[in-house]
Amino acid sequence: MKRIFATLSLLFIFSHNQAQSVYHFEEGLAIGPCHQYGREALYTDQLAYQLYKGTLKPQEGSMLLTDPKVGEVKWKKVQADSTHRFRGDSFSNGYVYLTYESKKEQAAILTITGQDMIFLNGVPRGGDMYRYGWMHLPVVLKKGKNEIYARVARFGRFGGITANLTFPEKPISINTEDLTISDVVPGFKNDSLWTGVVISNMTKKPLTGLEMKTIVAGKDIITKLPSVPAMALRKVGVLIDGSGVTSVGKNEVSLSLLQNGKLTDQSKIAIQSVEAGKQYSRTFVSELDGSVQYFSVSPQINGGANDRPALFFSVHGAEVQAISQARAYKPKDWGVLVAPTNRRPRGFNWEDWGRMDAMEVLGIAKKQFNPDPSRIYLTGHSMGGHGTWFLGATYPEKWAAIAPSAGYPTLAAYGSHDGVIPDSAGSPIEAMLLRASNPSNVLALTSNYKSLGVYVAHGDADRTVPVTYARQMRDILGKFHRDFSYYEHVGGEHWYGDISVDWPPIFNFFSWHAIPRDTTVTSIDFKTANPGISSHMRWAGVHQQVNALKYSHIKLNSSKKELKIEGTTENVALLSLDLGAFAPGSKLKIVLDGKAPVEYAVRGNETIFLKNEGNWKLAAAPAAAEKNPERSGTLKDAFRNRMVYVYATGGSAEEKAWAFEKATFDAESWYYRGNGAVDIVADKDFDPQEFKDRGVILYGNKSTNLAWDKVLKNCPVTVTSGKIEVGGKQFAGNDLAAYFIYPRSDSKTASVAVISGTGKAGFRAANANQYFSGGSGFPDIMVFSADMLKNGIKEVRMSGFFGNDWSVEKGEFVTQ
């Protein structure tokens, strides 16, 4: 085989007072297309398939595969330009192959920009899908040839990739490129400001006993830090005492990283102090994963200080920082504007954990600014226009009015990050998988806008998000909505200045809309695809479905005069009704779906539950052990409640290595895609009480992971070496993988996600983590073979949803 090496370009630079040499890769091979990762659970990767099989032999001119659209897919030589950048339009959905000859085993930092992930000597590592250049991966280079495969989606479109190795002198260091930092704001508490800082560990042991000392304006504070895994990086939360800052502008903060009291590294950053009345950012520790996040504010003009302010909630577009979003708005005299982050400027498209970030910030904003609960409004631009459509349809009871600007309603219509979502299912298996994406389908939820004022704004010359999306929604709303306005800015491109978002008619429209009190609302029309995401509308709630992830629809009318609630339901197994509108002692009649009425004597301001058992009957609230709005699946639902990654230490040497490597890969991907932080713990060190009520992501199987029985008691799914059992169904072979969710047996709120396999080939098949892609749909369980990498949907053996009691017997599954 012809060897392709990087031409040596060896420099010495200084970072945080430590010398380090840099090696730039200048030559390699590239190939594509050869993979397809998208927004559903399916994926194919012909290169990874051959890599795992041990048949991959990259050589210039050699063929990897024959593609039905482009014909023979061959390796081609690529040369970096004068800026050390590899470019090429023909390698989209492909890989770049690089090699490095090391004279000895040694630690280094590998930085490759613009790639979705890499394989280093067969081990998956985190990607730089945002092209920020911040993913500096601590790696161990083996003696001899080291092989790197960098996966790329749109190679030529975004300017290619760069790749280099650095060899720092210090094994433990602070990296200040990727900060999450608060501003010092007059009138606010500034003595304990959380800051997110990256720590790099180039040693083969986890870093423990860490502390960070910060000093600014004569005020110092020390923060105890969590452990940093071996040969890994982690973003940690550090406190800054900004109470001594008195001058507006940048203020220097010194950082000192200590391990067991000994100084290991130092650095300096700047914290901004802003003028009163100016836009600013504030940080918080997220309940989702314990990481430091931020939101930005355009404060209310003081003239309205005597009234409870309105709250304008503005969600930003792709690559837009939340502070930039806030600065696009002039302060208003009747309300405060708050902009959440989506966890990154691209993040999760305001879906999944982007949605959770938005709701978490909304809760913080309500506590901090005490707004008028009837005057809360939602708006956003571009990707934030999509976020406005999506959050408006998902949580219609939270907003008085919404105003999407330059937005697209669905991700499916606008396109996937790395592929195309199919318009329809090609098989029962795929139909089951696609059902998991139903919560993202705004077009199916448009009836939820009935209770909202809607103002649609779009530039008629927009080439990024064509105005046809706005016209589509105008036509849909025009068929049933009585309270929407539509505006096209003549000649307006995607961004036509701050009035793209800070458009006076929008705020005028907002001013005459208010959220009514629930007890005054007599009619409800509400649809949801997952009660675990969206369950309530005013005084009615869907707690359980008949068929999971199909749409549930309730249309109800309430009459205090007639003492009656009546209406229709679709796909609802358990319904709640808040009876606050009815006086105690009222004899209420409830008629649903034309069935026999349920009569109930109202005792007071209470919530009752009705269960659909052919006829509707009074019932109890769902037990914590059943599916309910707090814990209803699907797979992604386990990635919250400050989840912890628990990797197996049992099995063969290869199985042990896989579990730690996969947990590390997921932690790196979670950090970069979602500005996140997570604890990685060995199964033998996992104490359920120490991690009480936290989500658990379990890597391994019942044969290899000691934590399995601690958190998956009575689970109907068992994965062992060579076999998967789901209820009474068995799948045999060493090449099977499984993703599934199940309630954590010792918790009423947290869940367990299992990333598992039956052997070496099965574990490797589970390596993909496209579950972190915003809007991608994953069911409660999915079983597939390693051949899915090559053959796609044909190799999915099972997919589906557990019953409301989390059983297989009452669930719905498809097998092949």
Side-chain angles (χ1 to χ4, degrees), residues 194-267:
W194 282 105
T195 303
V197 182
V198 175
I199 306 297
S200 178
N201 178 14
M202 292 182 62
T203 74
K204 293 185 178 181
K205 293 183 178 180
L207 296 180
T208 58
L210 295 177
E211 295 177 321
M212 185 78 81
K213 181 178 181 180
T214 64
I215 305 175
V216 58
K219 300 285 186 177
D220 66 86
I221 189 169
I222 295 177
T223 311
K224 290 186 177 180
L225 305 181
S227 63
V228 181
M231 298 306 299
L233 46 81
R234 177 172 180 169
K235 198 166 187 179
V236 299
V238 176
L239 285 170
I240 293 176
D241 183 350
S243 61
V245 174
T246 58
S247 60
V248 172
K250 292 183 178 180
N251 297 265
E252 185 179 274
V253 183
S254 67
L255 307 177
S256 298
L257 180 62
L258 310 172
Q259 185 177 32
N260 299 321
K262 182 180 178 182
L263 181 66
T264 61
D265 196 22
Q266 291 180 299
S267 187

Side-chain angles (χ1 to χ4, degrees), residues 562-635:
E562 297 181 12
L563 297 178
K564 188 176 184 180
I565 294 175
E566 63 180 338
T568 60
T569 73
E570 296 176 25
N571 193 35
V572 178
L574 186 66
L575 178 74
S576 71
L577 298 172
D578 298 333
L579 304 182
F582 296 92
S586 300
K587 293 183 178 180
L588 181 66
K589 181 179 288 188
I590 304 167
V591 181
L592 300 175
D593 305 323
K595 302 290 180 66
V598 176
E599 296 185 351
Y600 184 77
V602 179
R603 291 177 291 185
N605 189 9
E606 61 182 316
T607 300
I608 63 171
F609 292 83
L610 296 102
K611 193 169 188 177
N612 186 356
E613 295 180 331
N615 285 316
W616 287 94
K617 298 180 180 179
L618 289 169
E626 298 179 339
K627 286 190 173 182
N628 62 75
E630 296 299 316
R631 185 168 63 175
S632 192
T634 54
L635 179 79

Side-chain angles (χ1 to χ4, degrees), residues 13-185:
I13 65 174
F14 291 85
S15 176
H16 311 314
N17 299 317
Q18 66 168 305
Q20 56 184 359
S21 60
V22 182
Y23 179 92
H24 294 288
F25 291 89
E26 305 288 0
E27 191 175 86
L29 295 173
I31 199 162
C34 59
H35 63 74
Q36 188 72 62
Y37 295 83
R39 295 196 190 279
E40 64 172 313
L42 296 172
Y43 65 95
T44 57
D45 193 325
Q46 308 295 337
L47 184 141
Y49 179 79
Q50 293 189 28
L51 177 67
Y52 296 152
K53 289 286 187 180
T55 60
L56 185 60
K57 296 180 180 180
Q59 298 182 48
E60 184 179 359
S62 66
M63 186 175 70
L64 180 74
L65 66 122
T66 300
D67 184 271
K69 293 183 179 179
V70 301
E72 293 183 346
V73 179
K74 296 181 177 181
W75 289 100
K76 298 179 182 179
K77 185 176 180 180
V78 287
Q79 189 82 32
D81 62 19
S82 59
T83 65
H84 312 293
R85 186 172 297 276
F86 295 96
R87 302 176 187 270
D89 292 330
S90 60
F91 306 118
S92 294
N93 289 353
Y95 280 85
V96 176
Y97 172 67
L98 307 168
T99 64
Y100 179 81
E101 284 282 348
S102 181
K103 295 180 180 179
K104 60 181 180 180
E105 181 181 292
Q106 59 182 319
I109 297 289
L110 175 61
T111 304
I112 304 180
T113 65
Q115 43 83 20
D116 286 347
M117 60 85 65
I118 66 168
F119 291 105
L120 172 63
N121 297 326
V123 176
R125 299 298 299 267
D128 175 32
M129 69 289 298
Y130 301 136
R131 307 173 306 283
Y132 296 156
W134 296 341
M135 185 59 97
H136 305 295
L137 296 171
V139 299
V140 175
L141 300 172
K142 66 182 182 180
K143 182 179 180 180
K145 186 172 73 170
N146 293 267
E147 295 183 288
I148 300 166
Y149 295 92
R151 196 179 88 206
V152 292
R154 298 176 176 94
F155 188 36
R157 178 178 173 186
F158 294 123
I161 67 170
T162 63
N164 64 67
L165 288 165
T166 58
F167 301 89
E169 290 184 353
K170 289 185 178 180
I172 303 169
S173 61
I174 305 168
N175 187 307
T176 60
E177 290 177 290
D178 181 18
L179 290 177
T180 303
I181 193 165
S182 180
D183 291 328
V184 176
V185 184

Side-chain angles (χ1 to χ4, degrees), residues 659-689:
F660 177 72
E661 291 161 1
K662 171 61 171 162
T664 300
F665 174 46
D666 277 5
E668 290 168 348
S669 301
W670 175 253
Y671 148 65
Y672 204 71
R673 184 178 285 276
N675 194 29
V678 68
D679 291 316
I680 301 178
V681 180
D683 56 359
K684 58 185 176 60
D685 298 324
F686 176 74
D687 180 352
Q689 287 303 308

